[in-house]
Amino acid sequence: MWVIITSLSLHQPTFKGGIPIARNSYSIGILFIGLAVLLLLGKLGFFQVLVSFFWPLVLLVPGLLFHFLYFNRRLPAGVLVPGGILTTYALLFFFCNIFGWSSMSYLWPGFILGPAIGLYELHLFERGSDRGIWIAAMVLGGVSVALFALTILVKLGIYVIALILVIAGLSMIFRKRRLW
């Protein structure tokens, strides 16, 4: 049988025998209730939805952190390469989470674009960077853009051809006629 003795201290109740009750017992109780709520939310699938959509943050946060640390002069310019790669890949994955993973059949050249962006950032922000870094960035970027164009042409070929024909027709209709 527990009996609270209040004569020893007005601010801290004690049990029979002078053993004090922990001051943070209320905090621990709130913590237990919070854990129970988290467990119930987990059982209902709340966290699965969050994790399945926001998992690219695992890539985006370090990528942006590399940029932040470089621009605050805490790390050298070399961290911009993995920063650019991680940020590009995270944006690709967020796009696929929003519009469906079938869009990866169009976006796969973005995996080549990531290193191109990272190398270009290194060339842009490092003083006295080697011209080879710029050349590598431009080659990778050019290959990526060419593959994007080829992929779009193959996947959406008829639509691209129709768009080109419409633009050519409109330019023929609205161009100024030259008088000889």
Side-chain angles (χ1 to χ4, degrees), residues 62-76 79:
L64 293 177
L65 184 64
F66 282 146
H67 285 89
F68 177 77
L69 291 175
Y70 168 74
F71 288 114
N72 283 327
R73 308 280 188 234
R74 299 203 187 258
L75 290 177
V79 300

Side-chain angles (χ1 to χ4, degrees), residues 107-152:
L107 297 176
W108 65 268
F111 290 111
I112 300 169
L113 186 64
I117 289 174
L119 288 171
Y120 185 71
E121 286 180 335
L122 176 64
H123 169 73
L124 194 62
F125 294 111
E126 185 178 33
R127 292 186 182 140
S129 68
D130 186 19
R131 184 164 168 82
I133 294 172
W134 181 79
I135 292 171
M138 290 300 117
V139 166
L140 286 173
V143 167
S144 178
V145 167
L147 289 173
F148 269 125
L150 185 63
T151 301
I152 289 173

Side-chain angles (χ1 to χ4, degrees), residues 48-66:
Q48 183 179 3
V49 171
L50 284 178
V51 170
S52 67
F53 184 76
F54 290 110
W55 69 266
L57 287 174
V58 172
L59 300 175
L60 186 63
V61 169
L64 293 177
L65 184 64
F66 282 146

Side-chain angles (χ1 to χ4, degrees), residues 11 16 26 30 33 58 64 78 89 105 124-125 131 141 149 156 160 171 179:
H11 299 291
K16 183 178 179 182
Y26 298 109
I30 291 173
I33 292 170
V58 172
L64 293 177
Y89 290 175
S105 65
L124 194 62
F125 294 111
R131 184 164 168 82
L156 303 173
V160 173
S171 68
L179 296 175

Side-chain angles (χ1 to χ4, degrees), residues 21-32:
I21 296 176
R23 283 185 170 219
N24 58 0
S25 65
Y26 298 109
S27 301
I28 292 173
I30 291 173
L31 179 70
F32 284 165

